[in-house]
Amino acid sequence: MAIKDTPEEWTVTATTTPFTGNKTSVRTDEVVMPDGSTVTRDYQVHPGSVAVLALDGEGRVLVLRQYRHPVRQKLWEIPAGLLDIPGENPLHAAQRELYEEAHVKAEDWRVLTDVYTTPGGCDEAVRIFLARDLSEAEGERFEVSEEEADMELARVAHDELLRGVLAGELHNNCLVVGVLALAAALGGAGLDALRPADAPWPARPFEA
């Protein structure tokens, strides 16, 4: 048997949306189980996200530190953002986030990995890109606000981030997954063997 996630959809007999927020909502489905019983499943409906592990020529990763209110911590993260426009090309969104959060552009883009952040309670899908051949972006810096106004930027050696992940000192989902995926790629077929930046993404289909 191939170890591969596969599409499947169990019968839903009723759906309600008890909460609708600015970007996400909560949905309640009545789902038919394999034994014929029906259970209630509540989950967050999310537009999807992109994240960027930007790696410079010295083996350092561009990271930012930002306050996250739900967990009451300042977390080190990689640039990331929502797919605000339905059907938006995720590469274009990732390039935008790297520019807005770090004022950086990259010439080489590849897909590092795709993940569901919390599939037991949210349908959020994230595509994490690897960006290389970095340089300062042209023009004025993007004007930030709210939590981003207090954001710190740094470039940290990948080995140091890997140590922090395994030591339980770094917790942001995209950073942890991205750092571990980069380590796996470096220890395996290499970065040039990663999928191209426009690789299909069934979780969030997009226009080329």
Side-chain angles (χ1 to χ4, degrees):
M1 181 180 67
I3 304 299
K4 181 179 180 181
D5 297 336
T6 56
E8 184 163 346
E9 189 167 350
W10 292 359
T11 300
V12 175
T13 59
T15 298
T16 58
T17 305
F19 170 79
T20 300
N22 185 34
K23 296 292 185 181
T24 67
S25 61
V26 173
R27 182 175 296 165
T28 299
D29 288 347
E30 299 291 333
V31 186
V32 179
M33 297 288 104
D35 64 0
S37 63
T38 301
V39 301
T40 299
R41 291 289 179 262
D42 302 316
Y43 59 99
Q44 183 183 20
V45 178
H46 194 285
S49 307
V50 291
V52 185
L53 194 147
L55 184 67
D56 70 15
E58 298 177 34
R60 300 175 301 174
V61 176
L62 195 156
V63 292
L64 50 92
R65 190 169 181 244
Q66 187 171 346
Y67 176 66
R68 293 301 186 183
H69 187 70
V71 295
R72 307 302 200 272
Q73 289 194 14
K74 273 192 169 183
L75 301 180
W76 285 103
E77 308 179 353
I78 56 177
L82 297 175
L83 289 168
D84 295 309
I85 305 169
E88 182 179 16
N89 188 307
L91 174 60
H92 299 165
Q95 291 169 333
R96 180 185 69 237
E97 292 300 328
L98 186 60
Y99 163 74
E100 291 182 357
E101 295 192 348
H103 200 65
V104 166
K105 64 180 181 179
E107 298 301 323
D108 187 280
W109 290 83
R110 296 175 189 270
V111 175
L112 188 54
T113 192
D114 299 323
V115 296
Y116 291 115
T117 55
T118 50
C122 180
D123 71 350
E124 181 183 12
V126 181
R127 168 156 283 188
I128 303 177
F129 289 91
L130 173 68
R132 293 182 292 171
D133 194 4
L134 309 181
S135 62
E136 192 80 4
E138 296 90 356
E140 297 183 3
R141 285 185 171 273
F142 183 78
E143 186 174 345
V144 296
S145 61
E146 300 175 353
E147 289 93 344
E148 292 182 352
D150 190 41
M151 196 162 57
E152 304 169 47
L153 292 173
R155 296 194 183 201
V156 180
H158 173 248
D159 287 348
E160 175 59 19
L161 293 176
L162 182 59
R163 184 207 61 77
V165 166
L166 297 179
E169 298 170 356
L170 300 169
H171 306 92
N172 173 264
N173 183 288
C174 290
L175 183 143
V176 170
V177 171
V179 165
L180 293 175
L182 179 61
L186 289 169
L191 303 185
D192 291 336
L194 292 169
R195 286 174 291 161
D198 60 354
W201 190 19
R204 291 293 185 274
F206 60 91
E207 299 176 3

